[in-house]
Each structure stands twice: as C-alpha cells, then as structure tokens.
Amino acid sequence: MPRTLAVANQKGGVAKTTTVATLGAALVELGQRVLLVDLDPQACLTFSVGIDPEDLDKSIHHVLLGGVRARDVLIELDDAPDLLPATIALATADVQLARESGPEQVLRTALRPLRTSYDWIIVDCPPTLGLLTVNGLSAASDVLIPLQCETLAHRGVGQLLDTVHDVQRLANPSLRVLGVLPTLYDGRTTHARTVLETIADTYELDVLQPAIPKSIRFAEAPAIGETVLSTAPASPGAKAYRALAGALLDH
C-alpha cells in the first residue's frame, strides 16, 4: 500500500504547492511511483506541472462528485509524477460534498482502485479547513505541515491540528502528523529561528529537516511547468527537497 501524504495548511503562501510538486519529483528521482492529487480550486499544482486547467474537460471534481473514475481523469507525465488535476469547478465542492453520505470519505474511496499502482500519493490540500481538506486528511496515512517561519504564519497551526484530531477521532484513526516543514526559511534572521522554536515547543511537533530556503528559483520553475530539480538542480532549494525525500524514504 502506498504512503498517502496530505500536505496541509489553511494559510496560503506557505509553499504548500511547491512542496507537493518538488517533493513528488524528488521521490520519482529515487525510483518511486508517485501520484499527485490537486484538491485546490485554484489548481496551482495542475498549472505548475505544465497542465492548463482551462484545457481540461474533467478533473478531480468529476471524480468526487460526478461518478467519474479516477483512472479516467489521471494524467501521466514523462519522468514525473502522475497527476489527478483540479479546475475552478472545485470551488463549489465543499457545498456539494456536504450533501453526500459520508462526505469526508469520498476521496479515500475514489483513490482505492489506484493504490496498488503507486508507492506515494501526495495530496495538495486547499488553504481552508473545509470538506476538501478533511477529505485529504481522511485519505492520508500522514500529514505534513509546511510553515513559513513568521509569526502570523504559525497562528493557524493550532486550528489545523484541531481539525487533524477531529479526523483522527471520527474518520481516520491511523493518521499521523509527520511534523512541520520550515519553508521560505532564512536562517540568518533571529525571528525565523525563534518562530521555529516556538512551534516545536508550543505544539510538540517534529520539525522536519532540512528547512527549505527562500529562493526566487521556486517562483521561476512553474512558469515552464517544471520544478527546481530540473531548472536549478544544484540550487540549495533542490538539494533540500532531495534530502527531504530521502529522509521520508528512510522514515
């Protein structure tokens, strides 16, 4: 069975999508079979791997709510993770899912036929704590929390952990919190280091290493549908994600 990793943080701009795309690519480099799932109506993950959401007739929305098989929406990419793409149609999914029986388990059920085809399934959760994120957590074996090391960025971690605990209690008791991944990190500043220490102490969470450094390289890569692993393979950011992938395989 694959490890299913939900990458979640209800705050936007914390490099969540960058983490999903780059970590997935790094795991493929290590010989892993990887599926990425875009659960964000903004479809940034879909765009960042080179797929224009506006060109898609079907997406994960149709899998969750239209009775379409996940395999029929799957996009296979050369030398890269496969993708279940998103479109703006997902914007109404929370409301529609609420009408379903067992609305928190829809994604888990949809992914079941694909599980034997992959070593890793990585879910890009939207920047909310609604039913889409709950579906991502309910389908996952582990949750990873990307965190920009600034005071305002960490204020919502407690709310996210409350949601995780609710999912553990009601839908997915085996869900594990891997820890916090420091992103957009500038270790030269006392503020960033202090915020990181506060998170570890306040929430008793593991801090995953290495921290992902702040770099313009991450913003440049999605414009051509790639990750820094190919556009800037020797950059500190690429090295950090490769090290994280190796650490997760050893975990």
Side-chain angles (χ1 to χ4, degrees):
M1 298 297 286
R3 287 181 69 181
T4 303
L5 183 63
V7 179
N9 189 328
Q10 75 270 30
K11 187 181 185 304
V14 297
K16 184 168 46 62
T17 297
T18 296
T19 294
V20 172
T22 315
L23 178 59
L27 287 166
V28 167
E29 283 188 349
L30 294 173
Q32 299 293 290
R33 300 170 301 164
V34 181
L35 172 65
L36 306 183
V37 181
D38 193 350
L39 274 191
D40 189 342
Q42 297 176 78
C44 291
L45 175 62
T46 299
F47 179 83
S48 70
V49 300
I51 306 297
D52 187 343
E54 295 187 8
D55 292 339
L56 298 174
D57 295 325
K58 294 180 181 177
S59 69
I60 189 68
H61 173 83
H62 300 89
V63 175
L64 297 177
L65 293 159
V68 176
R69 296 187 309 167
R71 196 171 297 280
D72 293 336
V73 175
L74 188 70
I75 297 174
E76 297 180 348
L77 301 167
D78 294 334
D79 301 318
D82 292 346
L83 174 71
L84 286 177
T87 65
I88 191 62
L90 267 182
T92 62
D94 269 1
V95 174
Q96 293 175 274
L97 281 169
R99 302 173 187 149
E100 299 287 321
S101 175
E104 74 286 347
Q105 298 285 2
V106 176
L107 178 64
R108 185 173 193 163
T109 301
L111 292 178
R112 192 170 291 135
L114 299 178
R115 294 179 72 83
T116 57
S117 301
Y118 297 98
D119 302 303
W120 289 82
I121 298 174
I122 308 179
V123 181
D124 188 12
C125 296
T128 70
L129 294 178
L131 269 172
L132 284 173
T133 293
V134 169
N135 263 266
L137 296 173
S138 297
S141 55
D142 305 272
V143 55
L144 181 154
I145 305 170
L147 183 73
Q148 183 179 3
C149 291
E150 294 182 357
T151 300
L152 291 179
H154 85 75
R155 293 182 65 232
V157 172
Q159 294 171 306
L160 174 59
L161 290 177
D162 286 343
T163 299
V164 169
H165 296 153
D166 286 343
V167 170
Q168 289 171 324
R169 180 170 54 89
L170 299 171
N172 186 4
S174 61
L175 179 64
R176 299 171 297 183
V177 180
L178 280 183
V180 167
L181 176 66
T183 60
L184 303 165
Y185 184 66
D186 186 351
R188 299 169 300 176
T189 68
T190 302
H191 178 70
R193 295 194 302 270
T194 301
V195 168
L196 201 56
E197 292 167 3
T198 301
I199 284 291
D201 293 341
T202 302
Y203 301 108
E204 298 181 352
L205 293 174
D206 290 335
V207 177
L208 303 178
Q209 297 294 336
I212 308 302
K214 191 172 186 177
S215 172
I216 189 62
R217 297 291 190 183
F218 290 119
E220 295 169 345
I224 56 173
E226 298 185 19
T227 73
V228 292
L229 302 191
S230 54
T231 61
S235 66
K239 292 177 181 177
Y241 275 112
R242 287 192 175 104
L244 176 64
L248 289 180
L249 281 182
D250 292 338
H251 183 71

